[in-house]
């Protein structure tokens, strides 16, 4: 069974631009969560989606948004990028929100 | 307010010895706990979990102990191997609608 895939793996943007990251969950998984990892800060929760509905949202500004499609694939968007948005963005999927999450390899975003 | 704390940023252990990674939590509603291992440039990999109805769960070289009264859990790796060198994250959640909460991680170095 294929794991969670994330595209692109690496991305360089400049301040003020916007970016869209994509996540394809494990087949049969309907729950997708997004996290931001920065050095020394662990994994900060961004959003959680289940069956196309956002169940939870973390404490991030409105520049961060996301969605989930009917095939469970998910995207997150960051508008008006800031230097502090440079991070590893991780996507995790699970069959349901209460089950174990499995992570993708992440997208490393560098904002210059 | 950090609900899941891993107070040791790093730990060094000799190959063949026991590695003990600790995690404390403050939210008494947490009832499910997980450990993930993360190598550089990869997403976290699920290792082992424990429900609050148990105080121990074992899987091969990995054992997780839960002390609910102290709000403390630990991951024991015996024997430690160089391939265990990674960052270990503790995570917790409750049975409600809230997302998984992660600690900031402990970097384990197993020295040959």
């Amino acid at each position: 069974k294929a794991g969670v895939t994330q595209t692109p793996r690496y991305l360089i943007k400049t301040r003020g631009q916007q970016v869209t990251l994509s996540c394809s969950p494990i087949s049969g998984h309907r729950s997708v969560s997004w996290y931001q990892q920065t050095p020394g800060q662990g994994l900060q929760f961004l959003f959680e989606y289940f069956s196309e509905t956002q169940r939870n949202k973390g404490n991030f500004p409105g520049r961060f948004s996301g969605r989930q499609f009917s095939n469970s694939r998910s995207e997150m968007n960051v508008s008006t990028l800031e230097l502090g948005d440079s991070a590893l963005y991780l996507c995790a999927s699970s069959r349901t929100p209460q089950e174990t999450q499995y992570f993708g390899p992440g997208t490393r975003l560098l904002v210059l | 307010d950090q609900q899941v704390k891993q107070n040791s940023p790093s730990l060094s252990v000799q190959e063949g010895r026991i590695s003990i990674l600790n995690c404390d939590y403050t939210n008494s509603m947490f009832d499910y706990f997980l450990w993930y291992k993360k190598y550089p440039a990869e997403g976290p990999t699920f290792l082992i979990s424990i429900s609050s109805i148990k105080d121990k769960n074992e899987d091969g070289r990995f054992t997780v102990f839960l002390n609910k009264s102290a709000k403390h859990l630990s991951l024991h790796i015996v024997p430690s191997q160089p391939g265990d060198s990674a960052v270990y994250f503790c995570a917790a959640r409750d049975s409600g609608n809230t997302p998984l909460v992660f600690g900031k991680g402990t970097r384990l170095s197993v020295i040959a």
Side-chain angles (χ1 to χ4, degrees):
Chain A
K1 207 179 217 184
V4 178
T5 58
Q6 291 187 245
T7 56
R9 291 293 311 277
Y10 304 93
L11 207 48
I12 300 175
K13 292 285 188 179
T14 55
R15 277 182 301 173
Q17 287 187 308
Q18 75 161 20
V19 67
T20 298
L21 312 182
S22 180
C23 171
S24 292
I26 292 170
S27 177
H29 286 197
R30 293 161 57 202
S31 180
V32 173
S33 295
W34 288 89
Y35 298 87
Q36 180 196 65
Q37 185 190 14
T38 52
Q41 290 302 310
L43 276 68
Q44 303 292 309
F45 172 75
L46 280 158
F47 330 95
E48 179 187 36
Y49 290 90
F50 179 61
S51 295
E52 301 179 68
T53 300
Q54 186 179 89
R55 294 182 82 240
N56 284 296
K57 187 176 193 305
N59 189 24
F60 279 81
R63 301 184 296 106
F64 290 80
S65 63
R67 59 179 175 167
Q68 186 181 34
F69 303 95
S70 59
N71 62 358
S72 296
R73 192 176 69 83
S74 177
E75 287 181 350
M76 67 163 280
N77 184 277
V78 187
S79 62
T80 321
L81 283 165
E82 299 178 359
L83 296 179
D85 297 333
S86 295
L88 180 66
Y89 290 88
L90 291 159
C91 167
S93 77
S94 56
R95 285 190 299 180
T96 67
Q98 292 303 316
E99 296 186 57
T100 300
Q101 294 182 9
Y102 296 89
F103 283 83
T107 294
R108 184 161 295 282
L109 172 65
L110 178 61
V111 183
L112 301 175
Chain B
D1 175 34
Q2 220 183 324
Q3 297 186 73
V4 177
K5 298 177 186 178
Q6 295 179 255
N7 292 318
S8 299
S10 62
L11 175 68
S12 287
V13 171
Q14 277 200 309
E15 181 180 6
R17 300 287 190 107
I18 183 171
S19 295
I20 300 176
L21 295 100
N22 294 304
C23 178
D24 297 295
Y25 61 96
T26 58
N27 188 339
S28 58
M29 298 302 291
F30 286 153
D31 62 0
Y32 195 68
F33 305 87
L34 307 92
W35 285 94
Y36 286 84
K37 175 171 77 173
K38 186 180 183 302
Y39 294 120
E42 294 182 13
T45 303
F46 169 69
L47 264 180
I48 192 168
S49 61
I50 187 167
S51 161
S52 60
I53 61 172
K54 293 185 171 184
D55 54 18
K56 176 182 172 181
N57 189 26
E58 198 170 348
D59 183 2
R61 297 186 297 115
F62 302 91
T63 303
V64 57
F65 295 92
L66 175 62
N67 181 334
K68 289 184 287 294
S69 60
K71 295 192 180 69
H72 176 83
L73 64 156
S74 60
L75 174 68
H76 292 211
I77 306 173
V78 185
S80 301
Q81 300 173 354
D84 296 328
S85 297
V87 177
Y88 289 78
F89 290 98
C90 168
R93 67 155 191 259
D94 60 33
S95 56
N97 197 31
T98 55
L100 205 53
V101 179
F102 283 83
K104 293 188 177 183
T106 296
R107 181 177 302 277
L108 173 66
S109 299
V110 179
I111 304 158

